[in-house]
Amino acid sequence: MTASRLAAGGSAIDRSRPIRFSFDGASVDGFAGDTIASALLASDVVVVGRSFKYHRPRGIWGVGVEEPNALVDVGGPQATPNTRATTEPARDGLVAKSVNATPSALTDRNAFLDRFSRFIPAAFYYKTFMWPDWHMFEPRIRAMAGLGKVDTDWTSPGTPDQINHHCDMLVLGAGPAGLAAAKLAAGAGLSVTLVDDQPKPGGSLGHRAGEVDGKPAGVWIEETVAELAAGGHLVLPSTTAFGIYDHNLVGLNQRHLDGRPDTMWRVRPRHIVLATGAIERPLPFANNDLPGILSADAALVYLRRHAVLVGRRVVVATNNDSAYEAAAALAEAGADVTLVDIRRDGTPVAPAKVRLVKGRALASAKGRLRVEGVTLDDGSRLDADCVLVSGGWTPTIHLFGQARGKLAWSEARAAFLPGDPVDGISITGAAAGAVSLSEVFASSETAVASLGRTKAAAPRSTGVEATDGIVAAWPMPGSKGRIWIDYQNDVTVKDVELAARENFVSVEHLKRYTTLGMATDQGKTSNLPGLALMAGITGRTVPEVGTTTYRPPFTPVPLASFAGPRVGELMAPVRRLPLESVHRASGAVFQEYGGWLRPAHYGGRGADAERSIQDEAWRARQSVALFDGSTLGKIEVIGPKAAEFVDFLYYNTMSTLTPGRCRYGFMLSENGVVFDDGVLVRLDEHRFVVSCSSSHVTAVHARLEEWRQDRFGRDAVYIHNATSEMATLTVSGPNARKLLEKLELGLSLDDTDLPHMAIGHGSYAGDEVRIARVSFTGDRSYEISIRADRAEPLWAHLRQAGQAFDAVIIGLEALMILRAEKGFIVIGKDTDGTTLPHDLGSEGPRSKRQTEHVGRRSLLTEEASRSNRLQLVGLTVPSGEAPLPTGAHAIRRVDGKLKSQGFVTSSYQSPTLGRPVGLGLIERGAARHGETIEIQHLGKIRTATIAAPCAFDPAGERLNA
Amino acid sequence: MQLFPCPFCGPRDETEFHYGGDAGNARPDGADVPIDRWADYLYLRSNPKGTAREIWVHMSCGEFFVMERDTLTHKVLSSTALGGEYAA
Ligand SMILES: [Zn+2]
């Protein structure tokens, strides 16, 4: 037993609430307030993980987000892979498993890999791409890659919340710097939100000595937080700011200790204060990755917050003053402590009960599954069951870097500090290089000063002040032994030297070649030592080497937090028909079409679906069909320039349309391509209804608005999208008029009063109805539009009256067959991004129109007049054959090679014709009716004959039948 | 995420907006517009590094407007409703 829990103390733990969880199958005891890491240390579990590449045994290094070694997969309802044991609260019943280790961290069967380490140096797998053969190594490398395992059986415990939040000042970090800044800002009348990743605010004041305004630090922390809460300010513990995005949007991920999924906050503060502190660095010596070697500051945290003494025989190695407090505290708690300071002069005095060795560094550590002792650079040896190191402090300037803040190298601090200010962001405390509490408070005062006069007194440090005195101790080229720089990704001094030898000397190349800083910890402890080493190897200064680009997220964020409620149906919500429930009651099978959820067919699931569809299409031609066409666009264009406007928007001249009549036309894009087709209704002189395709309503509306605002002016035209206000019910078929006459809609249905392509106005049960005689089936058709909320009785009446005519309700699939029989196109299906209107047979306006319209000039180019353009045709197949596959290519043989000359766009079995009907875009197709061509699909070649697009009732007699 | 100022609604998240092209890319009318001029109108963009004048539409309210912004720093310099020079 070496590490242990002390009988008393521990500010974070609640000894009245014992907990028990499992780690690698063994039971571990702890208290509420423990992290997995602190509980493991208290139980002297030293090997907690395996490194990525060499499967080296690893122990806990740190105490927070910087942890490179102690990664665990947490199971159960809050399952998270690859989470840090140092930040994961220990819960009763929690099941944790070490990553990258089989069966356990202690007895990993891949540990042998470490003996082959010299065969798998940095970038070895890149080299396998070159020689001898990547495929030889691929299966093995893939199997080894990755750390934790995703639990595929896991289901979300609920939908994570996302919160949009605004405040005057967002303070990130609730250590002394953040608390002081928040207090001063609140005193200046600003609304403050204070965020900290720990469950309790306080930062370093929670475990290091300090006295503020004559009070113990703990008291000052509590008072300050209470004061902020009383002032209505928001304090968010267990919350990490993971990213600063454009225009200073800050992303926060809030953890909950009650089992709820994390909450994502999107904060728009007027001002951001970064009080994010600093992270302790390791020291370079051989085998510095052995379990039992910890950050000195981490050991102090475990002692003061969790009452865990991490060792009995402790060597503390340092190059700065901060480790002295840790050495003193551990000695005080009963450990045998030797402090080895790299500095010969200018060190603080040796703390009580601590042996101080000056002017010496660690050369190596020894031990197999845990550290057993160290050798100093003079060859002397010390036994130890635990080694604490402090290589200095790296300010946490990640968020400042993300906000494109420039960094400035400080030789005195041996660290990058924030350089030129960034708009809307201040940076204070240890993150800005402050060491003593007095410096910290002064920097917070400066950070807030420009934002307004504060009524709060600036806190004063009244206790012992921290000092720094750092002498840099970077990894040196040519060092003996294996010295780890990036623990998690197994990058050693030799790997960086190899990268330099192979000329990967730029910091971004170094990162990718060696994977330095690319692990889940993103190099929080390793980046600076790595680039300092590269500086040493290449004879440059550290700022000359520079840092890699800082990118979000600062720590891993669950993808579920980003998704929030946008899962399942809410990921891309469908638009729904007003009569959806009625259709469901009729046995409709729904599918999504262009964003709308619509009946595909009625009855017949799975294998029976095709039979239902064929039956609907056949019966529709026999007597009468009912169809819900409510999704059809209904965009009103109103105003003195409405006629001129629709003329400009359409390829076809529309201003000549008589009120009460409809006309079919194309809308083009400016490069002439057919963008939408549909019927335009003229209600009166200055009022039109654009009846565009269901899936294009939004795009057509946007296009109309753009031209209205950019060319015609707001006063000339008004546009109103009435698509969802009205339901449109279609009655189509030889008996359509007879059925409609049963409803007494208050208008004459006589063909002289309401001919094809005309509209009429009537009423149903007191509501106005608009009836348009347009047809997408080729049969006599009436589209009845009525207020969406009054459509249900009308639909019921139509169905009831339809019984006498053996009416059939048809879904979209049957409608697709009916329109294909007629050669009617669907834009985007029977056209592509190159189809011009004359490719579809509409040549008139192109050659005759004298007035301007969208896309006009593009129709008069060489490309538009090319003789071998793809043109719309019908395709028939030899008797008895199945429909052609949609998308199959029409081919031509040129010098024995197959060349495409177009493709099949629509293809169905027609029950009425008793044969397949097809449409296609074929080179020069309009002039090749009657020609038989080859069609290839998945290597099979069939034949088809080119025909006119319309295969059914080419004379159009059924429109008036 | 950027904040764009709709001249009608005020500052909103960029996800509510849609890019509408370069401002001042006047449309040449007529069947006899030189083909190079028409091609420039359709395709030629200056893609400036620095200040750009662009048409954007705020999809929530449907209004098109001119926004001046810096393509390098993402700073928004101004936003103005269409009209005047853009009206017919
Ligand atoms: Zn707006």
Side-chain angles (χ1 to χ4, degrees):
Chain A
M1 185 73 184
T2 53
S4 59
R5 180 94 68 182
L6 300 177
S11 61
I13 55 169
D14 180 354
R15 290 177 195 258
S16 70
R17 290 162 61 204
I19 55 147
R20 177 171 288 179
F21 64 93
S22 109
F23 174 75
D24 274 358
S27 186
V28 179
D29 289 313
F31 297 112
D34 264 323
T35 60
I36 293 178
S38 67
L40 288 173
L41 281 169
S43 303
D44 198 34
V45 178
V46 176
V47 181
V48 300
R50 291 280 166 166
S51 65
F52 179 60
K53 202 159 86 174
Y54 304 139
H55 286 252
R56 298 262 296 181
R58 289 289 166 76
I60 291 156
W61 153 264
V63 74
V65 299
E66 76 285 4
E67 177 60 44
N69 295 335
L71 297 179
V72 292
D73 287 344
V74 172
Q78 274 181 296
T80 319
N82 286 336
T83 190
R84 295 166 302 268
T86 52
T87 58
E88 191 66 27
R91 287 176 279 118
D92 209 31
L94 173 145
V95 178
K97 160 101 182 62
S98 59
V99 304
N100 211 35
T102 321
S104 74
L106 196 60
T107 59
D108 178 34
R109 70 171 72 106
N110 281 318
F112 73 92
L113 277 167
D114 194 36
R115 294 202 302 276
F116 293 90
S117 61
R118 70 194 173 90
F119 299 108
I120 46 176
F124 76 95
Y125 55 96
Y126 292 146
K127 287 170 183 166
T128 65
F129 297 156
M130 310 294 291
W131 181 89
D133 180 7
W134 159 246
H135 295 108
M136 235 168 77
F137 298 90
E138 184 183 0
R140 181 106 186 111
I141 289 176
R142 285 207 192 282
M144 303 290 293
L147 294 170
K149 283 205 169 57
V150 172
D151 178 357
T152 49
D153 293 333
W154 179 83
T155 50
S156 163
T159 304
D161 284 331
Q162 293 187 332
I163 297 176
N164 292 307
H165 179 65
H166 296 259
C167 57
D168 291 330
M169 182 183 277
L170 176 66
V171 181
L172 303 178
L179 285 168
K183 183 185 167 80
L184 291 166
L190 304 178
S191 63
V192 178
T193 299
L194 176 63
V195 172
D196 196 84
D197 66 351
Q198 294 296 312
K200 281 186 182 173
S204 62
L205 274 185
H207 64 278
R208 285 192 175 262
E211 190 186 284
V212 185
D213 294 337
K215 298 166 197 162
V219 174
W220 180 77
I221 295 166
E222 271 179 36
E223 283 180 7
T224 307
V225 171
E227 192 182 303
L228 288 167
H233 305 283
L234 183 63
V235 180
L236 294 174
S238 302
T239 303
T240 304
F242 59 82
I244 294 187
Y245 299 85
D246 274 328
H247 295 181
N248 288 353
L249 172 76
V250 183
L252 310 177
N253 194 65
Q254 180 184 23
R255 302 210 58 189
H256 300 287
L257 303 178
D258 59 5
R260 274 180 297 154
D262 297 1
T263 300
M264 174 157 298
W265 293 67
R266 284 183 290 254
V267 188
R268 291 275 186 197
R270 286 186 205 285
H271 197 87
I272 301 166
V273 173
L274 300 177
T276 41
I279 290 171
E280 194 164 49
R281 290 192 294 265
L283 282 169
F285 53 91
N287 302 325
N288 56 347
D289 68 327
L290 278 176
I293 301 179
L294 282 81
S295 140
D297 190 59
L300 189 58
V301 172
Y302 289 122
L303 179 67
R304 294 253 162 90
R305 292 199 188 162
H306 304 284
V308 172
L309 187 58
V310 292
R312 290 283 164 197
R313 220 178 150 73
V314 179
V315 170
V316 182
T318 189
N319 64 346
N320 70 90
D321 298 349
S322 70
Y324 280 65
E325 189 178 352
L330 266 77
E332 185 67 29
D336 174 88
V337 179
T338 306
L339 180 52
V340 180
D341 195 325
I342 194 172
R343 299 169 297 176
R344 208 172 296 278
D345 311 305
T347 64
V349 293
K353 304 183 208 165
V354 171
R355 274 183 306 280
L356 176 60
V357 181
K358 289 194 200 184
R360 289 278 155 241
L362 303 194
S364 67
K366 70 172 181 1
R368 203 173 63 82
L369 287 170
R370 71 186 302 165
V371 66
E372 285 159 17
V374 294
T375 305
L376 306 192
D377 54 1
D378 62 355
S380 59
R381 293 176 180 216
L382 296 170
D383 285 343
D385 58 19
C386 178
V387 175
L388 306 184
V389 295
S390 176
W393 294 82
T394 304
T396 309
I397 35 66
H398 301 68
L399 292 171
F400 184 74
Q402 286 178 23
R404 302 193 203 178
K406 294 263 184 301
L407 305 178
W409 176 250
S410 164
E411 200 65 48
R413 291 268 182 267
F416 282 105
L417 300 181
D420 296 339
V422 171
D423 275 358
I425 300 179
S426 306
I427 183 159
T428 174
V435 175
S436 69
L437 262 189
S438 296
E439 283 170 355
V440 166
F441 290 150
S443 71
S444 290
E445 238 184 310
T446 313
V448 180
S450 62
L451 302 172
R453 188 185 298 274
T454 178
K455 293 198 184 79
R460 277 176 315 112
S461 166
T462 48
V464 189
E465 293 271 89
T467 53
D468 180 27
I470 188 167
V471 169
W474 304 120
M476 299 299 282
S479 303
K480 284 202 185 84
R482 296 166 75 193
I483 300 171
W484 262 261
I485 295 175
D486 186 320
Y487 293 101
Q488 194 177 130
N489 269 357
D490 276 327
V491 180
T492 64
V493 167
K494 288 190 167 49
D495 293 315
V496 176
E497 288 176 319
L498 177 72
R501 267 202 312 281
E502 301 190 342
N503 205 28
F504 290 92
V505 293
S506 129
V507 64
E508 299 286 0
H509 287 156
L510 166 67
K511 172 177 170 173
R512 280 136 188 104
Y513 200 62
T514 62
T515 70
L516 172 76
M518 284 170 68
T520 60
D521 62 328
Q522 291 284 288
K524 289 183 177 62
T525 55
S526 62
N527 281 344
L528 193 51
L531 62 94
L533 171 59
M534 182 54 85
I537 295 169
T538 55
R540 292 177 292 174
T541 63
V542 176
E544 276 169 356
V545 174
T547 64
T548 51
T549 308
Y550 289 95
R551 293 188 184 90
F554 173 66
T555 51
V557 179
L559 290 175
S561 291
F562 287 102
R566 294 184 306 278
V567 293
E569 287 195 347
L570 291 179
M571 188 165 155
V574 288
R575 303 185 72 182
R576 292 173 180 278
L577 296 170
L579 297 183
E580 179 179 325
S581 58
V582 179
H583 296 310
R584 285 199 189 280
S586 305
V589 176
F590 281 82
Q591 271 179 38
E592 195 228 294
Y593 297 92
W596 287 92
L597 195 62
R598 308 178 67 177
H601 49 90
Y602 291 80
R605 290 184 183 266
D608 290 338
E610 185 55 31
R611 210 164 54 214
S612 279
I613 295 164
Q614 288 287 312
D615 183 55
E616 287 170 26
W618 187 77
R619 287 173 61 195
R621 295 281 188 221
Q622 302 312 304
S623 173
V624 59
L626 302 176
F627 173 75
D628 187 344
S630 300
T631 61
L632 214 58
K634 291 170 278 279
I635 304 174
E636 299 196 18
V637 177
I638 310 156
K641 284 193 181 172
E644 193 188 322
F645 181 77
V646 293
D647 258 358
F648 182 70
L649 264 297
Y650 277 92
Y651 168 63
N652 316 71
T653 303
M654 293 300 194
S655 54
T656 52
L657 195 56
T658 327
R661 293 299 180 116
C662 319
R663 187 171 290 167
Y664 175 82
F666 292 120
M667 280 192 201
L668 312 182
S669 65
E670 278 283 57
N671 39 23
V673 172
V674 177
F675 171 74
D676 194 51
D677 69 341
V679 164
L680 182 73
V681 179
R682 189 169 204 171
L683 293 176
D684 60 41
E685 190 65 22
H686 299 302
R687 192 177 174 115
F688 296 82
V689 182
V690 175
S691 190
C692 51
S693 319
S694 305
S695 54
H696 283 173
V697 176
T698 312
V700 168
H701 183 210
R703 161 166 307 227
L704 297 181
E705 273 296 343
E706 182 172 8
W707 287 114
R708 164 189 176 248
Q709 294 179 36
D710 203 17
R711 187 178 171 99
F712 286 81
R714 286 189 174 76
D715 304 335
V717 185
Y718 180 74
I719 290 162
H720 174 65
N721 184 358
T723 302
S724 10
E725 290 171 16
M726 314 262 273
T728 301
L729 311 177
T730 306
V731 183
S732 168
N735 286 322
R737 180 174 154 189
K738 281 186 202 140
L739 192 161
L740 223 50
E741 274 164 353
K742 303 269 185 205
L743 269 74
E744 292 172 11
L745 295 169
L747 79 165
S748 163
L749 296 175
D750 193 275
D751 282 356
T752 48
D753 296 323
L754 189 61
H756 181 59
M757 297 309 264
I759 57 156
H761 299 275
S763 69
Y764 180 77
D767 290 307
E768 277 180 42
V769 294
R770 187 167 74 217
I771 301 181
R773 265 200 72 183
V774 293
S775 174
F776 197 40
T777 61
D779 279 323
R780 169 187 289 273
S781 295
Y782 300 86
E783 289 179 355
I784 314 165
S785 294
I786 185 167
R787 266 177 59 168
D789 57 340
R790 305 291 178 87
E792 196 172 329
L794 175 57
W795 181 252
H797 200 162
L798 287 168
R799 288 178 60 195
Q800 184 252 318
Q803 283 173 6
F805 302 97
D806 191 29
V808 60
I809 307 175
I810 63 168
L812 202 69
E813 294 301 321
L815 184 73
M816 284 293 119
I817 296 176
L818 300 175
R819 66 92 199 170
E821 289 170 347
K822 287 295 297 175
F824 294 155
I825 57 166
V826 171
I827 304 293
K829 178 167 172 61
D830 300 298
T831 68
D832 66 10
T834 65
T835 307
L836 305 178
H838 52 279
D839 298 332
L840 303 171
S842 178
E843 172 64 39
R846 175 176 181 244
S847 42
K848 296 196 190 100
R849 240 189 104 166
Q850 295 301 313
T851 49
E852 194 60 15
H853 64 84
V854 175
R856 181 188 187 195
R857 181 63 184 88
S858 296
L859 302 180
L860 306 169
T861 62
E862 239 176 85
E863 168 63 17
S865 310
R866 187 160 49 80
S867 63
N868 61 343
R869 295 192 59 84
L870 301 186
Q871 295 171 322
L872 180 73
V873 296
L875 294 168
T876 60
V877 297
S879 176
E881 283 192 10
L884 296 165
T886 303
H889 275 263
I891 50 157
R892 184 172 56 212
R893 294 168 196 269
V894 180
D895 302 331
K897 285 188 184 144
L898 302 186
K899 234 186 140 233
S900 173
Q901 54 169 335
F903 47 92
V904 180
T905 61
S906 287
S907 180
Y908 306 91
Q909 178 68 29
S910 161
T912 305
L913 296 169
R915 63 169 173 89
V917 289
L919 296 173
L921 288 169
I922 305 291
E923 267 182 33
R924 295 183 295 105
R928 295 167 67 188
H929 291 182
E931 191 180 320
T932 295
I933 54 173
E934 288 183 311
I935 306 278
Q936 184 198 245
H937 181 66
L938 300 178
K940 285 205 179 102
I941 294 178
R942 298 172 53 181
T943 61
T945 303
I946 300 176
C950 180
F952 180 68
D953 184 29
E957 283 159 357
R958 291 177 65 102
L959 282 173
N960 291 307
Chain B
M1 198 189 304
Q2 301 178 79
L3 275 185
F4 290 160
C6 170
F8 302 90
C9 310
R12 299 293 177 96
D13 277 350
E14 64 175 290
T15 51
E16 294 183 15
F17 296 83
H18 208 299
Y19 177 62
D22 283 2
N25 180 28
R27 182 185 196 274
D29 283 2
D32 50 0
V33 174
I35 197 63
D36 289 353
R37 172 76 189 87
W38 183 251
D40 286 359
Y41 161 69
L42 287 182
Y43 304 117
L44 194 71
R45 298 295 175 267
S46 51
N47 191 22
K49 179 181 179 181
T51 305
R53 294 187 76 236
E54 299 166 335
I55 303 273
W56 286 79
V57 58
H58 185 211
M59 293 182 291
S60 313
C61 72
E63 293 290 344
F64 287 75
F65 61 96
V66 179
M67 181 158 70
E68 259 191 313
R69 57 181 203 102
D70 191 305
T71 57
L72 196 64
T73 63
H74 288 185
K75 219 175 239 164
V76 176
L77 307 168
S78 71
S79 80
T80 349
L82 286 188
E85 62 183 299
Y86 293 98

